[in-house]
Amino acid sequence: METGEAYEARLKVYEGQRAAVARPGKDPVNTPMIRHWCEAMGDTNPAYSGPDAIAPPTMLQAWTMSGLSGQTRGTHAYDELLGLLDEAGYTSVVATDCEQEYLRPLRPGDEIIYDSVIESVSEKKTTKLGTGYFVTTRMDIRVGPDLAGTHRFRILKYAPLRPTDRPGGSPTRRDRAQKPSRPRPVVNRDNAGFWEGVQRRRLLIQRCTTCGTLRHPWLPGCHACGGLDWDTVEASGEGTVYSYVVMHHPPFPAFDPPYAVGLVELAEGVRMIGNVLGVPYDKVRIGLPVRLEFREYDEELVLPVWCAQEVPEMQETREVGT
């Protein structure tokens, strides 16, 4: 890996350079995407429907995304920066966090244009994933001359830890055969309480103390009344599959496709995404009853997953097959 003050000075040259210039959104702001978003998030705010509807502010980035079939490259400067990191051995990438600021509501029919700038490249950092650099871009989203919002997106370009870098010395046969560790969840000030609960094997749901509305994912304010005060309730662990996808592609080293990822509706009414286990991926169905379990994936990572409960059709199939 290339390091040192001279190398970091080369990276710093890219700060302030453009990552995208006057790029149009692939689609205008539109009602179907707003409806799909609200259904997936369980958001029933009346402001997002009807003749005077606005788009949920948190959809800001959605209007800038080009989709799997139409990925657009960055500017020469942005591609050059990532190439410089790749050549130096920082070949892996993980998104770490984002920040958004909302300045103008987006409404169906609005056509957005966005610019993006490389805002900062950090000094070299050592993380649990490996050593690398945090690259932050700021996107300015406009409708005509009006600035609608800003979106800061931060990635870590890093060189993964090798077995010899870990405590214990040289790699063993088990180290060589071991699959890469699962990606870590991004923990921030808004969701830290949720992940602290997971570490204690408790699934905590935020509850607005003003109107009593439960919400997930964790947010700083209530989407029903706007209240900022909240406490938590512990989920019972019972739920049903509200929707699901089976992941075949793209492959990720830490996962074994195909596998099912479900949007689970908890008994308390909120919805949560997680792996659906305990049943073949092609047997997952909408309405399948599931129960919460906590799985340890390594010494530091505990995640909530959803295990299918016994259903008569599956039991009968197994008996016939036997």
Side-chain angles (χ1 to χ4, degrees), residues 272-296:
M272 185 176 301
I273 293 174
N275 289 109
V276 179
L277 306 177
V279 64
Y281 69 88
D282 57 352
K283 298 296 183 183
V284 176
R285 295 289 184 269
I286 291 174
L288 177 71
V290 292
R291 182 165 181 79
L292 171 70
E293 286 190 13
F294 292 98
R295 294 280 176 100
E296 292 187 11

mmCIF file of all heavy atoms in Angstrom, residues 272-296:
data_model
loop_
_atom_site.group_PDB
_atom_site.id
_atom_site.type_symbol
_atom_site.label_atom_id
_atom_site.label_comp_id
_atom_site.label_asym_id
_atom_site.label_seq_id
_atom_site.Cartn_x
_atom_site.Cartn_y
_atom_site.Cartn_z
ATOM 1 N N MET A 272 -39.639 -4.186 9.380
ATOM 2 C CA MET A 272 -38.194 -4.250 9.533
ATOM 3 C C MET A 272 -37.636 -5.223 8.505
ATOM 4 O O MET A 272 -38.246 -6.251 8.198
ATOM 5 C CB MET A 272 -37.863 -4.731 10.958
ATOM 6 C CG MET A 272 -36.410 -4.734 11.329
ATOM 7 S SD MET A 272 -36.200 -5.221 13.071
ATOM 8 C CE MET A 272 -37.159 -3.933 13.889
ATOM 9 N N ILE A 273 -36.462 -4.905 7.966
ATOM 10 C CA ILE A 273 -35.815 -5.758 6.970
ATOM 11 C C ILE A 273 -34.834 -6.701 7.658
ATOM 12 O O ILE A 273 -34.119 -6.311 8.581
ATOM 13 C CB ILE A 273 -35.082 -4.896 5.924
ATOM 14 C CG1 ILE A 273 -36.089 -4.111 5.088
ATOM 15 C CG2 ILE A 273 -34.216 -5.759 5.012
ATOM 16 C CD1 ILE A 273 -35.463 -3.129 4.131
ATOM 17 N N GLY A 274 -34.796 -7.955 7.203
ATOM 18 C CA GLY A 274 -33.839 -8.914 7.752
ATOM 19 C C GLY A 274 -33.853 -10.201 6.954
ATOM 20 O O GLY A 274 -34.748 -10.445 6.137
ATOM 21 N N ASN A 275 -32.841 -11.040 7.189
ATOM 22 C CA ASN A 275 -32.785 -12.344 6.544
ATOM 23 C C ASN A 275 -33.902 -13.237 7.059
ATOM 24 O O ASN A 275 -34.228 -13.219 8.247
ATOM 25 C CB ASN A 275 -31.444 -13.016 6.798
ATOM 26 C CG ASN A 275 -30.308 -12.346 6.035
ATOM 27 O OD1 ASN A 275 -29.463 -11.701 6.620
ATOM 28 N ND2 ASN A 275 -30.294 -12.513 4.735
ATOM 29 N N VAL A 276 -34.494 -14.021 6.157
ATOM 30 C CA VAL A 276 -35.503 -15.008 6.530
ATOM 31 C C VAL A 276 -34.825 -16.375 6.493
ATOM 32 O O VAL A 276 -34.371 -16.827 5.433
ATOM 33 C CB VAL A 276 -36.712 -14.980 5.587
ATOM 34 C CG1 VAL A 276 -37.733 -16.036 6.008
ATOM 35 C CG2 VAL A 276 -37.353 -13.592 5.595
ATOM 36 N N LEU A 277 -34.746 -17.034 7.650
ATOM 37 C CA LEU A 277 -34.034 -18.294 7.788
ATOM 38 C C LEU A 277 -35.000 -19.393 8.216
ATOM 39 O O LEU A 277 -36.172 -19.153 8.469
ATOM 40 C CB LEU A 277 -32.913 -18.143 8.831
ATOM 41 C CG LEU A 277 -31.920 -16.988 8.608
ATOM 42 C CD1 LEU A 277 -30.920 -16.930 9.755
ATOM 43 C CD2 LEU A 277 -31.217 -17.130 7.280
ATOM 44 N N GLY A 278 -34.484 -20.618 8.278
ATOM 45 C CA GLY A 278 -35.278 -21.739 8.769
ATOM 46 C C GLY A 278 -36.202 -22.346 7.753
ATOM 47 O O GLY A 278 -37.009 -23.225 8.079
ATOM 48 N N VAL A 279 -36.113 -21.904 6.481
ATOM 49 C CA VAL A 279 -36.957 -22.433 5.419
ATOM 50 C C VAL A 279 -36.211 -22.188 4.110
ATOM 51 O O VAL A 279 -35.476 -21.201 3.995
ATOM 52 C CB VAL A 279 -38.332 -21.715 5.423
ATOM 53 C CG1 VAL A 279 -38.194 -20.243 5.111
ATOM 54 C CG2 VAL A 279 -39.304 -22.367 4.472
ATOM 55 N N PRO A 280 -36.301 -23.097 3.135
ATOM 56 C CA PRO A 280 -35.619 -22.842 1.856
ATOM 57 C C PRO A 280 -36.062 -21.503 1.258
ATOM 58 O O PRO A 280 -37.216 -21.091 1.395
ATOM 59 C CB PRO A 280 -36.066 -24.016 0.985
ATOM 60 C CG PRO A 280 -36.406 -25.103 1.956
ATOM 61 C CD PRO A 280 -36.975 -24.406 3.155
ATOM 62 N N TYR A 281 -35.119 -20.834 0.592
ATOM 63 C CA TYR A 281 -35.411 -19.502 0.050
ATOM 64 C C TYR A 281 -36.618 -19.504 -0.879
ATOM 65 O O TYR A 281 -37.369 -18.523 -0.957
ATOM 66 C CB TYR A 281 -34.188 -18.941 -0.683
ATOM 67 C CG TYR A 281 -33.854 -19.650 -1.977
ATOM 68 C CD1 TYR A 281 -34.432 -19.257 -3.184
ATOM 69 C CD2 TYR A 281 -32.976 -20.729 -1.996
ATOM 70 C CE1 TYR A 281 -34.145 -19.919 -4.366
ATOM 71 C CE2 TYR A 281 -32.675 -21.395 -3.175
ATOM 72 C CZ TYR A 281 -33.258 -20.982 -4.359
ATOM 73 O OH TYR A 281 -32.975 -21.635 -5.528
ATOM 74 N N ASP A 282 -36.854 -20.629 -1.608
ATOM 75 C CA ASP A 282 -37.970 -20.667 -2.551
ATOM 76 C C ASP A 282 -39.284 -21.046 -1.884
ATOM 77 O O ASP A 282 -40.306 -21.173 -2.552
ATOM 78 C CB ASP A 282 -37.665 -21.624 -3.710
ATOM 79 C CG ASP A 282 -37.338 -23.024 -3.246
ATOM 80 O OD1 ASP A 282 -37.193 -23.251 -2.015
ATOM 81 O OD2 ASP A 282 -37.226 -23.925 -4.106
ATOM 82 N N LYS A 283 -39.271 -21.223 -0.565
ATOM 83 C CA LYS A 283 -40.504 -21.492 0.184
ATOM 84 C C LYS A 283 -40.990 -20.273 0.951
ATOM 85 O O LYS A 283 -42.033 -20.321 1.607
ATOM 86 C CB LYS A 283 -40.287 -22.642 1.164
ATOM 87 C CG LYS A 283 -39.929 -23.974 0.510
ATOM 88 C CD LYS A 283 -41.052 -24.496 -0.372
ATOM 89 C CE LYS A 283 -40.712 -25.866 -0.952
ATOM 90 N NZ LYS A 283 -41.770 -26.355 -1.871
ATOM 91 N N VAL A 284 -40.227 -19.195 0.918
ATOM 92 C CA VAL A 284 -40.659 -17.973 1.590
ATOM 93 C C VAL A 284 -41.878 -17.408 0.847
ATOM 94 O O VAL A 284 -41.900 -17.362 -0.375
ATOM 95 C CB VAL A 284 -39.519 -16.934 1.625
ATOM 96 C CG1 VAL A 284 -40.007 -15.626 2.239
ATOM 97 C CG2 VAL A 284 -38.333 -17.483 2.413
ATOM 98 N N ARG A 285 -42.871 -17.022 1.598
ATOM 99 C CA ARG A 285 -44.100 -16.502 1.016
ATOM 100 C C ARG A 285 -44.577 -15.292 1.817
ATOM 101 O O ARG A 285 -44.323 -15.193 3.027
ATOM 102 C CB ARG A 285 -45.217 -17.562 0.999
ATOM 103 C CG ARG A 285 -44.918 -18.758 0.106
ATOM 104 C CD ARG A 285 -44.980 -18.380 -1.367
ATOM 105 N NE ARG A 285 -44.792 -19.530 -2.242
ATOM 106 C CZ ARG A 285 -43.621 -19.942 -2.707
ATOM 107 N NH1 ARG A 285 -42.513 -19.293 -2.338
ATOM 108 N NH2 ARG A 285 -43.530 -20.979 -3.504
ATOM 109 N N ILE A 286 -45.318 -14.394 1.166
ATOM 110 C CA ILE A 286 -45.967 -13.299 1.878
ATOM 111 C C ILE A 286 -46.963 -13.895 2.872
ATOM 112 O O ILE A 286 -47.729 -14.797 2.533
ATOM 113 C CB ILE A 286 -46.661 -12.351 0.889
ATOM 114 C CG1 ILE A 286 -45.612 -11.598 0.068
ATOM 115 C CG2 ILE A 286 -47.579 -11.371 1.620
ATOM 116 C CD1 ILE A 286 -46.180 -10.745 -1.035
ATOM 117 N N GLY A 287 -46.937 -13.412 4.086
ATOM 118 C CA GLY A 287 -47.804 -13.934 5.144
ATOM 119 C C GLY A 287 -47.166 -15.019 5.982
ATOM 120 O O GLY A 287 -47.758 -15.453 6.979
ATOM 121 N N LEU A 288 -45.958 -15.472 5.607
ATOM 122 C CA LEU A 288 -45.279 -16.516 6.373
ATOM 123 C C LEU A 288 -45.003 -16.025 7.793
ATOM 124 O O LEU A 288 -44.383 -14.977 7.986
ATOM 125 C CB LEU A 288 -43.957 -16.878 5.693
ATOM 126 C CG LEU A 288 -43.069 -17.907 6.400
ATOM 127 C CD1 LEU A 288 -43.697 -19.297 6.323
ATOM 128 C CD2 LEU A 288 -41.671 -17.922 5.787
ATOM 129 N N PRO A 289 -45.438 -16.760 8.817
ATOM 130 C CA PRO A 289 -45.149 -16.339 10.195
ATOM 131 C C PRO A 289 -43.668 -16.569 10.523
ATOM 132 O O PRO A 289 -43.099 -17.597 10.177
ATOM 133 C CB PRO A 289 -46.056 -17.233 11.047
ATOM 134 C CG PRO A 289 -46.340 -18.422 10.196
ATOM 135 C CD PRO A 289 -46.309 -17.957 8.766
ATOM 136 N N VAL A 290 -43.070 -15.598 11.173
ATOM 137 C CA VAL A 290 -41.650 -15.679 11.530
ATOM 138 C C VAL A 290 -41.482 -15.233 12.974
ATOM 139 O O VAL A 290 -42.342 -14.568 13.550
ATOM 140 C CB VAL A 290 -40.779 -14.800 10.605
ATOM 141 C CG1 VAL A 290 -40.745 -15.354 9.187
ATOM 142 C CG2 VAL A 290 -41.268 -13.348 10.603
ATOM 143 N N ARG A 291 -40.353 -15.634 13.537
ATOM 144 C CA ARG A 291 -40.039 -15.235 14.915
ATOM 145 C C ARG A 291 -38.601 -14.752 14.978
ATOM 146 O O ARG A 291 -37.717 -15.285 14.312
ATOM 147 C CB ARG A 291 -40.258 -16.393 15.888
ATOM 148 C CG ARG A 291 -39.993 -15.997 17.332
ATOM 149 C CD ARG A 291 -40.545 -16.981 18.330
ATOM 150 N NE ARG A 291 -40.291 -16.534 19.700
ATOM 151 C CZ ARG A 291 -41.000 -15.617 20.328
ATOM 152 N NH1 ARG A 291 -42.014 -15.048 19.720
ATOM 153 N NH2 ARG A 291 -40.695 -15.257 21.570
ATOM 154 N N LEU A 292 -38.399 -13.759 15.803
ATOM 155 C CA LEU A 292 -37.095 -13.130 15.960
ATOM 156 C C LEU A 292 -36.083 -14.063 16.614
ATOM 157 O O LEU A 292 -36.398 -14.760 17.584
ATOM 158 C CB LEU A 292 -37.250 -11.867 16.816
ATOM 159 C CG LEU A 292 -35.977 -11.166 17.277
ATOM 160 C CD1 LEU A 292 -35.269 -10.513 16.094
ATOM 161 C CD2 LEU A 292 -36.301 -10.136 18.359
ATOM 162 N N GLU A 293 -34.877 -14.073 16.068
ATOM 163 C CA GLU A 293 -33.731 -14.683 16.719
ATOM 164 C C GLU A 293 -32.551 -13.738 16.580
ATOM 165 O O GLU A 293 -32.492 -12.927 15.657
ATOM 166 C CB GLU A 293 -33.366 -16.040 16.097
ATOM 167 C CG GLU A 293 -34.311 -17.158 16.457
ATOM 168 C CD GLU A 293 -33.783 -18.523 16.030
ATOM 169 O OE1 GLU A 293 -32.570 -18.606 15.675
ATOM 170 O OE2 GLU A 293 -34.556 -19.480 16.035
ATOM 171 N N PHE A 294 -31.588 -13.849 17.480
ATOM 172 C CA PHE A 294 -30.354 -13.089 17.386
ATOM 173 C C PHE A 294 -29.229 -14.061 17.044
ATOM 174 O O PHE A 294 -29.059 -15.076 17.723
ATOM 175 C CB PHE A 294 -30.057 -12.360 18.694
ATOM 176 C CG PHE A 294 -31.039 -11.259 18.995
ATOM 177 C CD1 PHE A 294 -32.093 -11.468 19.864
ATOM 178 C CD2 PHE A 294 -30.913 -10.017 18.382
ATOM 179 C CE1 PHE A 294 -33.002 -10.456 20.142
ATOM 180 C CE2 PHE A 294 -31.816 -9.000 18.644
ATOM 181 C CZ PHE A 294 -32.866 -9.218 19.526
ATOM 182 N N ARG A 295 -28.494 -13.761 15.989
ATOM 183 C CA ARG A 295 -27.404 -14.616 15.529
ATOM 184 C C ARG A 295 -26.069 -13.899 15.701
ATOM 185 O O ARG A 295 -25.931 -12.732 15.354
ATOM 186 C CB ARG A 295 -27.599 -14.982 14.047
ATOM 187 C CG ARG A 295 -28.815 -15.856 13.768
ATOM 188 C CD ARG A 295 -28.534 -17.313 14.077
ATOM 189 N NE ARG A 295 -29.722 -18.137 13.892
ATOM 190 C CZ ARG A 295 -29.937 -18.870 12.796
ATOM 191 N NH1 ARG A 295 -29.065 -18.854 11.801
ATOM 192 N NH2 ARG A 295 -31.034 -19.610 12.697
ATOM 193 N N GLU A 296 -25.088 -14.635 16.229
ATOM 194 C CA GLU A 296 -23.731 -14.116 16.328
ATOM 195 C C GLU A 296 -22.967 -14.536 15.076
ATOM 196 O O GLU A 296 -22.820 -15.728 14.807
ATOM 197 C CB GLU A 296 -23.030 -14.664 17.567
ATOM 198 C CG GLU A 296 -23.604 -14.159 18.881
ATOM 199 C CD GLU A 296 -22.764 -14.606 20.072
ATOM 200 O OE1 GLU A 296 -21.651 -15.123 19.852
ATOM 201 O OE2 GLU A 296 -23.234 -14.444 21.212
#
